[in-house]
Each structure stands twice: as C-alpha cells, then as structure tokens.
Amino acid sequence: MPASIAVGTQWGDEGKGRVVDVVAKEATMVVRYQGGHNAGHTLVVDGETFALQLIPSGILYDFVTPVIANGVVVEPLVMLAEIATLERKGVDCSRLKVSSHCHLVMPYHQALDELSEARLGDAKLGTTKRGIGPAYADKAARLGVRMEHLDDPPTFRRMIAAALLDKNPILRDIHGHPGFDPDELADHYLTEIAPKVLPYVVDTVSLVHDALERGERLLFEGAQATFLDVDHGTYPFVTSSNPVAGFATVGAGVGPGVFDQVIGIVKAYITRVGSGPFTTELFDETGDKLVEIGREYGVNTGRRRRPGWFDAVMVRQAIRLNGCTELALTKLDVLDTFESIKVCVAYEIDGVEFRYLPDRFTDLEKAKPVYVELPGWQQDLTNLREVADLPDLAVSYVEFLEDQLGVSIRLVCVGPGREQYIVRGP
Ligand code: GDP
Ligand code: IMO
Ligand code: MG
C-alpha cells in the first residue's frame, strides 16, 4: 500500500503545486490533508496558469481523483468558484471528493481574522485574512460546522446558533461589527450553498483506504510549510494547522505505515510572507532581484514575499521533522544571472554555532547566518531537461546543498512550466 507525501520545507510557496503536478503522473489519487484557501498553488501548463487554493494539484490529470480530506478547512464559496474557473478552462471537476468531516470556513471566521489583525496593529501576524485561524480554533473548541451538517439542517442550524452565541458578542463588543444573524446565515447556506457543495461530499476515509487496498499509489499534498506549522514553525508567526508530513495521517485518516516516500520541496533560495523572524532575509537590491526574477508576489493576496538566501539550517531541521526521503529543488533558474550565491550553513547565536534550529524563539531572533559563498553559473537553465546538460557550477550548487542536507535532490525545476524540470539519479 505505497503512498507519498509532498511537503513544503521552508515558509511556503516553494512550488509545491508544480512539483505535485509532476509527481501526480504516477498516482491515482492526490489527497490534500490540511490548510485552506490561505494556500495558493500555481501550475503552468502549455502557457496557461492555474492558481489553486483548495483543489488538489492533481486535478489536471483525468486519471487522478482529487480529494480534499478531513484535515482541510473549506470555504465552500471559494471551492465552488475554483471549480467554476477550472471548468471554464475545460478541466472536469466532477471527480473532486470532499470529506464530510471537513470544517467550513464561515463568514464570521473571515470577519474575526480581519478584525483581529487590524486590532493587533504592529503586533499583527500578517495572516491571509481568510478566516483560517478562527476556523481551526472553532474546530478545536468544538464550535465548528462540518460539511456533513449541510446535509442535516436541524444540526446545521443548532451549530451555527451555538457558534454565533460565542462569536457575536466578540464581534459586537470588541470589534464594533454588527454580528451575524444565525437564521439568515443558516437559511442562506442550506438553500443556496448546500445543494451545490453536497454532490462532492463523501466518506473520504473509505475512498482512500479502498484505493490503498487496490494497491494504487496515492500522493498526499501538504499546503503551507514546515515553518508555518503551529507546533514546529516559528510560533506565533505560523498558520493554525500542521503542514508537516506526519499530519497526513490525521488529516486523511491513514496510519503511518502506508508511506514509503516523503518529498521535501525546497526553493533554491527562500521567501516568507507575513511577519516573523527570518535569519537570511535580504533587504538590499539582491533581495529585490530575487523578488523580481522569481516573481515573488502572493498568488492570492498579491503581497510581496520577503526574500532571502537558502537556509540549510532550516531545511536540515525540516528533513528531520518530516522524515524526508528525497528533495525536489525548485526555481534554480531564478539564480541564473547571479555572479555569486550564498548559502547559510549554520547559525551563530551568542557565539555558539547551531546546525539545527534553536529550540527557543528568543534564540532564533538573535541568530546570525554563517554563509558560504558559491560562484554562480551565469547561464540560462530554463531550456535544459537533461542532468548532463547542467553547467558544472549549477551541479556544484546542487551537490553543495545535498552535502549540507544529507538527502538526495531527485528533481530540479528550472522554470514554472510543467515540462521545465530535470530528473537526477534513479
Ligand atoms: P506553492 O504554494 O508552494 O505551490 O508555490 P506558489 O505557486 O505559491 O509559488 C511558486 C511560484 O513559482 C509560482 O508562481 C510558480 O509558477 C513558480 N515556479 C514554480 N517552480 C518554478 C521554477 O522552477 N522556476 C521558476 N522560475 N518559477 C517556478
Ligand atoms: P502555500 O500553500 C506562504 C502565512 C501567512 C501568515 C501565516 C498565517 O501557498 O505555500 P493564515 O492566513 O494561515 O492564518 O496566516 O501563514 N501563510 C502562507 N505563506 N504560503 C502559504 O501557503 C501560506 N499560507 C499561510 O502569510 O504569515
Ligand atoms: Mg503558494
């Protein structure tokens, strides 16, 4: 019963969507296991761009069943809009399956996210303001509404009423928002949204296990990334779910024994959106160059991503946290014109060298990068498809990273297009 996990090893936007699109060719099912429409995954196929938020990145193959599993929080209107956009582009979304256990991101979640960020001022987290944090908070507080409740009007009404009993006073008294009327909201969801969403809703645990029992290869897709993980990331500047590979078990309802491959996705440099510490952050024209060549602007929010040099300390830690069996390196072509390229190989904190992330946030904030500088290859890689065609200095960069990280880089991406990648090794 073989299964793979694709997981981000940095702060997101590593190119997970495009790597999943490459790897999904070998799978029959692609299962998203956490996050929500805070994600933005870009696929570029035959010059056409697909920006996915909730729908798994395997959707473009008609032999793949895309599954949104229980660990994901779903804004149903965003899901329906995404389906409509894909169908306008000729993609059949009738194969999409959504777990009846998925929690809904409701309008009051989004309002609370936005208002709370505004209220925090300089202390804000820089969330995507999509309501993801409040939706996961309600799930843990047992005040959430699930997909299955859309099919059970009395329960849906009861759950919405209970949630608003809790939220309306916060919205009104703390934020000066008028609040939401439970009956109006429930009527709208049950009459307008439920009939459109319910056809996709199934028991995804059975679906996934039936496929595993047939011996099919499944790919589990993480959103966000290791250092946005609510347990293992740079808390509190994290998302409210667990993107790490281990959560694929909880987020989809499978045991750990089914996985034989964990693909860590790494960008050849690093970016972060939103607030929080960033050891290798660049504030100079080199950073601007990474942003401009790498087009580092958020897929959903349009925010400029903060750029920095590759941080091997973080990725080493990510390899441990996820149990990566191999890596996929993306955006190597973005470095094509750089005369020299830096890699952070260790942190120096109060005179002590760290090869892994310090345990405490206060230490992380003090970390200074220890860099090794490598010569750039100064050659266009975007049309290369064979490992033998890679210039020596590009090979040296990839091998240097492998040496630092101790895990093989099996896939190297040299452009956003579906075909722009090179397979290394067996
Ligand atoms: P994700 O959230 O991890 O799926 O990544 P995003 O889609 O948010 O951001 C990655 C961006 O880089 C997208 O615009 C991709 O089209 C683009 N991209 C992915 N791989 C490559 C690559 O190898 N080279 C270049 N130049 N762009 C890439
Ligand atoms: P993909 O899947 C990059 C960041 C936000 C913010 C923090 C919390 O495309 O890699 P949230 O809205 O989740 O409560 O915001 O997490 N963030 C992402 N950054 N890529 C993402 O997704 C992200 N999803 C959330 O910018 O710092
Ligand atoms: Mg993204």
Side-chain angles (χ1 to χ4, degrees):
M1 299 200 295
S4 309
I5 302 174
V7 62
T9 60
Q10 295 157 325
W11 276 304
D13 305 324
E14 295 90 349
K16 295 177 291 295
R18 71 82 39 96
V19 170
V20 167
D21 177 64
V22 171
V23 182
K25 276 190 296 198
E26 316 294 328
T28 58
M29 206 174 258
V30 176
V31 185
R32 237 312 268 281
Y33 60 82
Q34 50 63 239
H37 65 302
N38 47 351
H41 300 163
T42 318
L43 319 183
V44 180
V45 179
D46 298 332
E48 186 158 21
T49 299
F50 299 84
L52 305 173
Q53 292 179 263
L54 282 164
I55 298 193
S57 303
I59 184 77
L60 301 186
Y61 297 107
D62 55 14
F63 52 85
V64 166
T65 303
V67 177
I68 299 179
N70 57 279
V72 180
V73 289
V74 178
E75 209 297 16
L77 291 174
V78 171
M79 186 183 95
L80 292 171
E82 209 173 318
I83 292 171
T85 305
L86 284 166
E87 294 207 320
R88 268 199 303 279
K89 294 185 176 189
V91 180
D92 169 26
C93 292
S94 61
R95 293 162 289 125
L96 177 69
K97 308 290 178 205
V98 182
S99 166
S100 42
H101 292 192
C102 282
H103 279 248
L104 302 187
V105 179
M106 298 295 290
Y108 46 86
H109 293 135
Q110 178 156 6
L112 283 165
D113 195 356
E114 247 178 63
L115 293 164
S116 145
E117 281 283 274
R119 196 177 164 75
L120 285 170
D122 285 347
K124 72 173 187 217
L125 299 171
T127 74
T128 58
K129 300 185 192 163
R130 298 292 193 259
I132 304 302
Y136 275 114
D138 270 2
K139 175 177 176 176
R142 289 140 303 162
L143 285 171
V145 220
R146 310 210 298 189
M147 280 291 172
E148 62 178 317
H149 299 142
L150 285 173
D151 209 14
D152 175 1
T155 307
F156 188 80
R157 287 182 188 283
R158 187 163 43 75
M159 304 293 278
I160 293 286
L164 287 175
L165 209 57
D166 183 69
K167 306 295 168 234
N168 274 340
I170 302 172
L171 284 165
R172 290 184 185 133
D173 302 344
I174 297 179
H175 297 296
H177 183 283
F180 291 87
D181 181 274
D183 292 326
E184 252 175 49
L185 200 62
D187 286 345
H188 176 63
Y189 271 70
L190 291 169
T191 55
E192 300 294 326
I193 298 176
K196 295 182 188 136
V197 169
L198 284 172
Y200 299 100
V201 176
V202 300
D203 167 5
T204 56
V205 170
S206 297
L207 192 77
V208 163
H209 282 275
D210 289 348
L212 288 169
E213 277 162 28
R214 287 193 298 270
E216 296 176 16
R217 176 160 280 278
L218 270 54
L219 175 59
F220 291 70
E221 178 185 20
Q224 287 81 53
T226 305
F227 295 99
L228 290 172
D229 186 282
V230 68
D231 284 80
H232 300 289
T234 47
Y235 191 90
F237 302 104
V238 293
T239 192
S240 299
S241 66
N242 292 101
V244 291
F247 194 79
T249 61
V250 179
V254 294
V258 306
F259 299 105
D260 62 357
Q261 185 183 40
V262 179
I263 307 166
I265 301 161
V266 266
K267 183 147 60 179
Y269 49 98
I270 188 169
T271 59
R272 140 163 244 179
V273 204
S275 321
F278 186 164
T279 310
T280 64
E281 184 162 14
L282 290 165
F283 299 96
D284 56 7
E285 61 278 11
T286 307
D288 292 341
K289 193 170 161 184
L290 285 173
V291 170
E292 291 319 311
I293 301 177
R295 299 195 193 158
E296 296 295 353
Y297 295 92
V299 179
N300 292 304
T301 58
R303 289 184 292 175
R304 182 186 192 270
R305 297 172 181 153
R306 299 160 58 192
W309 289 121
F310 191 93
D311 184 340
V313 178
M314 283 179 68
V315 180
R316 258 181 229 126
Q317 179 89 5
I319 289 167
R320 279 187 165 175
L321 291 168
N322 295 292
C324 297
T325 57
E326 63 188 82
L327 299 174
L329 181 69
T330 63
K331 302 191 98 163
L332 189 62
D333 57 295
V334 174
L335 302 176
D336 282 355
T337 58
F338 284 70
E339 248 173 67
S340 72
I341 301 163
K342 287 186 185 171
V343 175
C344 168
V345 295
Y347 291 171
E348 194 241 279
I349 303 169
D350 295 334
V352 180
E353 202 164 281
F354 282 69
R355 281 179 53 79
Y356 291 90
L357 242 60
D359 187 43
R360 295 185 182 212
F361 189 85
T362 42
D363 288 333
L364 180 63
E365 280 184 310
K366 290 189 278 184
K368 293 193 181 60
V370 177
Y371 284 122
V372 169
E373 194 159 351
L374 296 128
W377 45 93
Q378 296 190 273
Q379 190 181 320
D380 179 2
L381 302 185
T382 55
N383 293 315
L384 305 186
R385 301 291 174 267
E386 299 296 328
V387 73
D389 297 335
L390 274 173
D392 290 347
L393 290 174
V395 173
S396 303
Y397 182 70
V398 175
E399 288 179 348
F400 180 79
L401 296 185
E402 271 181 335
D403 194 44
Q404 286 293 320
L405 301 171
V407 175
S408 302
I409 295 173
R410 295 269 307 277
L411 192 76
V412 175
C413 300
V414 290
R418 178 180 260 181
E419 316 301 335
Q420 290 181 290
Y421 67 89
I422 295 170
V423 179
R424 295 176 74 243

